Amino acid sequence: MIDLKVDFSKILGFVDQKEIDALQAEVTKSHQSIVQKTGAGNDFLGWVDLPSSIDEALLKSIEEDAARISKMADIFVVIGIGGSYLGARAVIEALNHNFSNLLPGECKHPQVVFAGNNLSEDYLADLIDVLDKRDYAMAVVSKSGTTTEPAIAFRILREHIEKKYGREEASKRIIAITDKERGVLKKLSLEEGYKSYVVPDDIGGRYSVLTPVGLLPIAVAGFDIRAMIEGAKAMRANSLASDVIANSPAAAYAAARTSLYRNQKTVEIMVGYQPSLVFFVEWWKQLYGESEGKENKGIFPAGVTFTADLHSMGQYIQEGERFIFETVISVEKPRRELSVPVDPQDLDGLNFTAGKRLCEVNKQAELGTLLAHVDGGVPNIKISVPAINENVIGQLVYFWEFACALSGYMLKVNPFDQPGVEAYKKNMFALLGKPGYEAQGAELRKRL
Ligand code: PA5
């Protein structure tokens, strides 16, 4: 059973229902391209059947490694960039205690921290200060095994962990997640005897949360990966069974955002009302940005957290240029309970909220904002879920992946490649003096 619902009634003043209905034929065509594996990038459709085909032995091995790491480490460093870290971070932050790092004694599981997703000297040096003092283990995640940012972080942290524990013990504290045979990371893990997991050939980084790339860190953080897979499985069944806009959340979302894009709404702002969803929005931004932004086309994916950003971006959204639409992640029930106390003196004048749960106040903020933004010319799509838990997260992950493929095909791009990511790398290598890039380096330096 799926609990996720998509409501696009609040885009109807901006787009005609007839226009959305007219997209059904295109949705069906895109759906067939995914199911029959006939569309562009069809060698990267491994994620489609993944939730129902995950091997029991793989799950057991991940759970055993998670238990082993929990015994030996207070901190688990996940080295990776883009699709090799965002999914894990999104899920862990969505499910974790908001201040788990300040409650270390009470947490039975290692604190998962991330590295190799930037080139900041300060960031890595600060992390090393912590790793000097605490027991740790790490996963290095790179499908290609050649990405510069994680490769440099791994070289530095490998030296640190070997100095701290000795080479043999260090090799038990390192897990590599990479291609089954290619790449330097595979070679290194064979030579050093690291435990390794495979990123399947037919699954791209941003679609890899339900592979060991996401599952291992999520399990180490203490969350139920089987429940997450169950949620994804339910959403898969729904998404494959129906391409009808009225029945399928993925079809509804893809049709709604495509119709808005064709009506000059070129920026989609994903809105969360929980700070714990910030990285879920980051993961969504990567999924949609890398999948659709090509050939000078694509909706620009942005993100905000309300109510915080109502005090920063709210003004623009309400009254700025009218090229935006919002998609709101609406969560019915929080994990915790907290009410506004009664104050007999009512000096702050807040007794009209007294006795109300904070989630009720948050919900009224959500509903009030929705109407204000619609009135201000910003169409709203609502994605509702009953709560944030592993099962719902699994549903959300699969829903967004499937809808992304549908939308990408409706946009007539290949949603599974990312040719544009190479341009900065070539310039960076040239400027760093990588052998083979000398002429380019000289040309670039003249322009700086
Ligand atoms: O989604 C993608 O394919 C990318 O974001 C990659 O995940 C990212 O570039 C990292 O690549 P790799 O895992 O090969 O290091």
Side-chain angles (χ1 to χ4, degrees), residues 26 40 57 78 90 92 106 113 116 133 161 210 245-247 259 265 273 275 310 321 323 341 373 378 426-427 429 442:
E26 276 183 64
V78 176
I92 293 168
E106 288 171 43
V113 301
K133 298 188 179 71
I161 203 168
L210 299 172
I245 294 171
N247 299 338
S259 67
K265 300 294 183 190
Y273 277 81
L310 285 170
E321 286 239 34
F323 51 60
H373 287 183
V378 178
K426 284 188 194 131
N427 285 356
F429 291 152

Side-chain angles (χ1 to χ4, degrees), residues 16-79:
D16 224 47
Q17 178 71 48
K18 277 197 207 123
E19 225 178 300
I20 299 171
D21 295 341
L23 289 175
Q24 184 59 63
E26 276 183 64
V27 173
T28 300
K29 202 165 160 234
S30 297
H31 192 271
Q32 282 168 356
S33 302
I34 300 168
V35 175
Q36 295 166 5
K37 301 192 188 315
T38 49
N42 56 359
D43 44 347
F44 279 96
L45 286 170
W47 58 271
V48 176
D49 296 327
L50 187 63
S52 51
S53 62
I54 296 180
D55 192 21
E56 175 58 28
L58 175 67
L59 287 181
K60 271 192 124 171
S61 168
I62 289 174
E63 286 165 343
E64 279 164 18
D65 275 327
R68 181 173 66 85
I69 290 160
S70 280
K71 281 194 199 120
M72 65 165 65
D74 307 324
I75 294 177
F76 188 55
V77 185
V78 176
I79 302 173

Side-chain angles (χ1 to χ4, degrees), residues 404-419:
C404 185
L406 281 176
S407 295
Y409 282 150
M410 290 171 80
L411 189 65
K412 297 202 171 11
V413 296
N414 175 356
F416 307 110
D417 66 359
Q418 55 284 328

Side-chain angles (χ1 to χ4, degrees), residues 80-86 141-148 150 177 199 204-208 286 290 416 418 421 425:
I81 196 165
S84 288
Y85 98 101
L86 278 167
V141 190
S142 179
K143 182 174 174 174
S144 62
T146 56
T147 309
T148 311
I177 305 178
V199 190
R206 59 191 177 274
Y207 291 82
S208 69
Q286 189 219 355
E290 256 184 22
F416 307 110
Q418 55 284 328
V421 180
K425 289 188 194 167

Side-chain angles (χ1 to χ4, degrees), residues 299-377:
I299 297 172
F300 182 85
V304 291
T305 299
F306 290 164
T307 59
D309 293 334
L310 285 170
H311 298 261
S312 58
M313 296 303 291
Q315 172 61 36
Y316 191 100
I317 295 170
Q318 189 70 46
E319 294 183 349
E321 286 239 34
R322 303 295 73 188
F323 51 60
I324 52 186
F325 68 98
E326 288 176 318
T327 299
V328 178
I329 310 167
S330 181
V331 183
E332 276 159 40
K333 221 172 148 232
R335 284 196 301 265
R336 310 291 301 271
E337 275 192 33
L338 199 62
S339 302
V340 182
V342 181
D343 177 355
Q345 287 183 296
D346 197 23
L347 290 178
D348 53 11
L350 273 179
N351 268 354
F352 70 98
T353 64
K356 287 196 200 310
R357 295 267 305 273
L358 215 51
C359 65
E360 219 181 313
V361 181
N362 206 14
K363 189 55 73 185
Q364 298 319 311
E366 179 186 322
L367 297 174
T369 305
L370 168 83
L371 294 178
H373 287 183
V374 169
D375 290 346

